[in-house]
Amino acid sequence: MPRRIAKKLLLIGWDAADWKMMSPLMDGGLMPTLARFVEQGCMGNIATLRPSLSPMLWTSIATGKLADQHGVTGFVEPTPDRRGVRLVGSQSRRAKAFWNITSEAGLKTHLVGWYASHPAEPISGACVSDRFVIDSTTGQRPAANDWACPTDLADRFAALRVWPRELGAGDLLPFVPRLEHVDLRRDPRPGKLAEALSACATTHAIATDLLANHDWDVAAVYYDTIDRLGHEFMPYHAPRLDHISEADFSIYQHVMTGVYRFHDMLLERLLDIAGDDATVILVSDHGFHCDHLRPNAPAGLTEAQTAALWHRHYGALAMRGPGILADERVYGATLLDVAPTMLMLLGLPIGRDMPGRALVQALKDPPPELEFVPTWETSARPASAPADADPGASAAAIRQLIDLGYLAPDSLEAAALVEQADRESKYNLAVVHLSTGRPRQAIAPLRELVSSRPREFRYVITLATALAAAGEPADVCALLEPLESQGLSHPDVDAALGAAYLKLGQTEAAVARLSRAESSGSNDPALFCLVGEARLAQRGLADAERAYRRAIAIDPDSDQGHYGLARALYHAGQYEASAEHALRAVGLVHAFPHAHYVLGLALAAMGDDDRAILSIRQAVQLYPPFREAHQRLAELLLKRGDVEAAMRHRRAADGYAVDPPA
């Protein structure tokens, strides 16, 4: 067995928590607990997955697997009889979560409120599903105890429930200091705040009870409050957006700061109970725009599409405990790394079917080697109670998702909901394939969706993106060029066509299209990265540099912006600056082979062949068919006199499959 590092392990999930919001609050002394936490441990960005939908993301965090592996592909799914829809839950999941693995390994494990965890599963400790927390805000009293396992704890936990009606004006004043200026009979926003806070308090009460009064080796608790209230109140956060009235801004501008400060207080209590000997991981599934990137959605978008615009690509990660480095940063983490890291800390082998990696960079003394097993899926999970014991509660929860903007049904008729659930599942899986480098697997389902819904713009533009990624720029043009004759003009169409023309070698046409997209007033970093690509193709290095710098000015965490700028600077002979931006790119997204390659080129140009070899080796490990990288690596190895290794990489550059060295 590998060495166990964590005596106890606590995982805390804060949906949508973002360092862009938290870092200034920490610096200003408004989140002192989190500030101490990161000083004693390590922190960093964590890259989300696409699509950034909470049930899919939190299931990926729990399993270490992508949605096409774990089976949760949206918010809702058809019921087995296809007469309606139900919330996705534990019975939707095809893969084991960490709590199944740790229970199987004999570790006492508690789980509270995890997204898509209903019905509660039998594990080695206690499991309280997210349905119990949802019920706290919908007012539904569950007809069965399928939200708790073991069920003999249900009465104990039910007594800890906090109802919205129990919160008075005094409880809301820290979030809305000018509450007396609100007409509570006409303004529903204070009521929504009370609902979210009561759910948060319910989650916290059960989690602290379990940690304080029950033995545990592993525990996990999930809070959805930052995301839920962010969609409602982040538009009122300072500075005031143009479309927000002065009156609303003056009343609600402090809500999100209050929400983050409230979470800091919750964290303090969790840490006190867990003790200094516990290893604690704090993670969010994605970020949430809080600055100039907050969207003012254009007309024509559904509420679900508008909600997704608020999500930022990078969430927050922090770790603290015995064996964890102090006051350090973690680079290149993704959501898929959480489960392997937990298994490493607990001395358990990592499944080779988990595409993420254990974050050994966070350890004071990394293990000499990690232990792996082919998979943890060799035995069945213990069966949970049948789902949908309380369809009324499920319907209320679905209504809540509609109110939040995550679901936008064409109608509430059962048949329409089932059809929409099927379409969204197909679309979401296509996005998973596309975003993980498998565009050809995305094309066929996207063509079906476009055929059935030709006016659904996101289906069309995603198909165009998949065709482009699969190296079919002519098909992109065939798909998008007719749209203009149909009266559809959109900056995303111009951008996609510009990229396609670029691939076809029609550089002037590409620049014209991209210039038109720019003139729309777009604030999308991806557009300016495309402009930079076009200028590079024209060898306009200064113009390319300006475009990439504009992308980074809009979003300093644009990995593509830093990568593009690294390329432009390399071609301009600014090797040190090129290496700096390539490092930023791989620090944001570790699995970025082309950025590792550019870093290696810049290092080699600076005369640092040893580090260049390491960087380019990383590129070919991440992407074995990378011929240019194999060729450059062969040159560097030959220069160093390592003829055998150089010949291996030269053969790989010629397209031969090459075995790794013995």
Side-chain angles (χ1 to χ4, degrees):
M1 289 288 290
R3 175 171 61 95
R4 180 170 172 175
I5 299 167
K7 180 181 177 182
K8 295 190 296 183
L9 179 59
L10 172 61
L11 176 64
I12 304 170
W14 285 358
D15 200 313
D18 196 314
W19 290 122
K20 275 193 173 183
M21 186 78 179
M22 294 188 292
S23 293
L25 295 176
M26 291 160 57
D27 293 342
L30 298 180
M31 294 188 76
T33 305
L34 185 60
R36 288 193 301 273
F37 185 93
V38 299
E39 287 171 4
Q40 296 165 359
C42 55
M43 64 173 285
N45 286 329
I46 188 164
T48 191
L49 304 170
R50 301 294 188 199
S52 60
L53 302 178
S54 290
M56 299 172 68
L57 300 180
W58 287 103
T59 305
S60 287
I61 291 171
T63 61
K65 296 181 178 180
L66 294 163
D68 59 329
Q69 296 173 286
H70 63 59
V72 174
T73 57
F75 286 96
V76 298
E77 63 188 4
T79 55
D81 61 9
R82 296 188 63 81
R83 296 176 63 181
V85 297
R86 65 184 183 186
L87 294 175
V88 295
S90 57
Q91 293 184 339
S92 314
R93 202 178 71 243
R94 298 195 303 260
K96 288 181 180 175
F98 66 82
W99 53 84
N100 305 122
I101 296 171
T102 55
S103 294
E104 188 177 313
L107 300 176
K108 180 73 78 173
T109 303
H110 301 313
L111 182 74
V112 180
W114 203 265
Y115 212 124
S117 62
H118 186 81
E121 297 178 77
I123 57 177
S124 59
C127 179
V128 178
S129 83
D130 57 330
R131 178 67 59 80
F132 179 75
V133 181
I134 292 171
D135 292 341
S136 295
T137 60
T138 62
Q140 296 286 327
R141 294 184 180 274
N145 288 337
D146 56 352
W147 50 266
C149 195
T151 56
D152 57 10
L153 290 174
D155 288 343
R156 178 187 182 96
F157 296 145
L160 298 173
R161 187 197 303 267
V162 179
W163 296 100
R165 61 177 176 269
E166 297 179 66
L167 302 185
D171 299 302
L172 302 185
L173 282 173
F175 306 87
V176 189
R178 302 185 70 234
L179 187 63
E180 72 274 10
H181 297 280
V182 179
D183 184 348
L184 298 178
R185 295 169 298 178
R186 296 184 178 182
D187 190 339
R189 287 170 288 191
K192 292 181 179 181
L193 175 61
E195 289 177 356
L197 293 177
S198 68
C200 185
T202 297
T203 298
H204 191 66
I206 296 172
T208 52
D209 180 76
L210 280 170
L211 294 179
N213 300 313
H214 301 261
D215 292 336
W216 59 282
D217 298 299
V218 183
V221 54
Y222 163 81
Y223 302 85
D224 75 342
T225 321
I226 293 173
D227 183 78
R228 184 171 169 182
L229 290 177
H231 285 294
E232 187 68 40
F233 292 104
M234 193 62 86
Y236 309 110
H237 188 67
R240 184 177 69 85
L241 299 175
D242 291 340
H243 64 284
I244 299 298
S245 71
E246 287 280 6
D248 279 348
F249 177 71
S250 67
I251 291 171
Y252 293 114
Q253 63 175 305
H254 302 294
V255 171
M256 291 311 299
T257 295
V259 170
Y260 273 95
R261 296 188 69 186
F262 183 47
H263 279 66
D264 195 69
M265 299 174 195
L266 303 182
L267 178 63
E268 180 180 26
R269 180 61 179 147
L270 291 173
L271 296 179
D272 285 345
I273 299 173
D276 292 337
D277 62 342
T279 300
V280 182
I281 301 175
L282 175 68
V283 66
S284 66
D285 57 335
H286 54 72
F288 202 96
H289 290 301
C290 62
D291 51 17
H292 63 289
L293 293 176
R294 286 176 291 173
N296 182 10
L301 294 185
T302 66
E303 289 186 0
Q305 291 170 290
T306 302
L309 292 176
W310 283 89
H311 294 174
R312 202 167 75 89
H313 186 65
Y314 296 103
L317 173 70
M319 302 171 63
R320 189 206 77 175
I324 303 296
L325 288 169
D327 200 19
E328 292 287 348
R329 291 193 67 90
V330 172
Y331 293 98
T334 77
L335 300 189
L336 296 172
D337 300 336
V338 176
T341 300
M342 293 179 68
L343 295 177
M344 172 190 69
L345 291 169
L346 293 167
L348 297 174
I350 299 165
R352 290 198 181 277
D353 55 348
M354 295 179 175
R357 62 195 175 102
L359 297 173
V360 295
Q361 59 177 298
L363 302 181
K364 293 177 183 176
D365 299 305
E369 61 182 40
L370 299 174
E371 185 173 327
F372 293 87
V373 293
T375 183
W376 278 96
E377 308 298 338
T378 54
S379 59
R381 289 186 282 144
S384 56
D388 294 324
D390 187 0
S394 182
I398 290 170
R399 168 53 67 184
Q400 185 182 95
L401 289 173
I402 293 171
D403 290 343
L404 286 171
Y406 281 122
L407 293 180
D410 300 317
S411 79
L412 292 177
E413 293 294 326
L417 288 170
V418 169
E419 182 187 355
Q420 185 196 17
D422 286 337
R423 286 199 316 271
E424 289 304 291
S425 176
K426 183 180 290 187
Y427 176 73
N428 291 338
L429 277 176
V431 173
V432 169
H433 291 138
L434 175 58
S435 64
T436 53
R438 297 171 287 169
R440 294 200 176 275
Q441 289 178 250
I443 290 172
L446 286 169
R447 284 196 188 279
E448 291 177 15
L449 290 168
V450 170
S451 177
S452 65
R453 291 286 181 115
R455 304 294 296 179
E456 184 75 49
F457 181 72
R458 63 192 171 116
Y459 294 166
V460 175
I461 202 67
T462 306
L463 174 57
T465 304
L467 291 168
E472 305 291 348
D475 286 354
V476 175
C477 298
L479 175 69
L480 296 182
E481 286 176 342
L483 296 181
E484 290 183 311
S485 64
Q486 301 168 16
L488 177 61
S489 178
H490 193 282
D492 288 350
V493 172
D494 287 323
L497 282 172
Y501 294 151
L502 199 58
K503 291 292 185 183
L504 292 168
Q506 301 173 22
T507 307
E508 295 302 322
V511 170
R513 280 284 180 177
L514 295 172
S515 297
R516 194 165 89 169
E518 274 189 274
S519 67
S520 70
S522 173
N523 208 28
D524 183 0
L527 171 61
F528 295 102
C529 289
L530 276 174
V531 173
E533 183 77 16
R535 297 303 186 186
L536 274 181
Q538 293 179 313
R539 304 300 294 178
L541 298 182
D543 288 339
E545 180 180 342
R546 276 193 292 272
Y548 288 122
R549 289 194 184 279
R550 186 168 178 185
I552 294 168
I554 295 169
D555 183 4
D557 288 337
S558 170
D559 54 287
Q560 291 292 335
H562 287 289
Y563 163 64
L565 183 55
R567 292 172 60 210
L569 292 169
Y570 174 77
H571 289 299
Q574 300 180 48
Y575 303 125
E576 187 172 347
S578 172
E580 176 187 341
H581 285 281
L583 274 171
R584 287 288 303 276
V586 300
L588 289 163
V589 178
H590 176 76
F592 196 161
H594 288 78
H596 286 283
Y597 176 58
V598 173
L599 174 58
L601 293 180
L603 290 169
M606 294 163 61
D608 192 344
D609 287 357
D610 289 342
R611 289 176 63 204
I613 288 170
L614 290 175
S615 294
I616 301 177
R617 270 188 174 147
Q618 184 69 69
V620 298
Q621 286 170 6
L622 290 167
Y623 181 49
F626 199 161
R627 292 188 176 186
E628 297 94 331
H630 282 291
Q631 180 61 43
R632 188 69 181 104
L633 188 53
E635 294 169 1
L636 289 168
L637 289 167
L638 196 60
K639 179 180 175 182
R640 199 170 66 175
D642 194 341
V643 178
E644 182 181 353
M647 291 302 101
R648 281 201 308 273
H649 288 286
R650 183 169 290 177
R651 282 179 58 80
D654 291 337
Y656 294 98
V658 179
D659 293 331

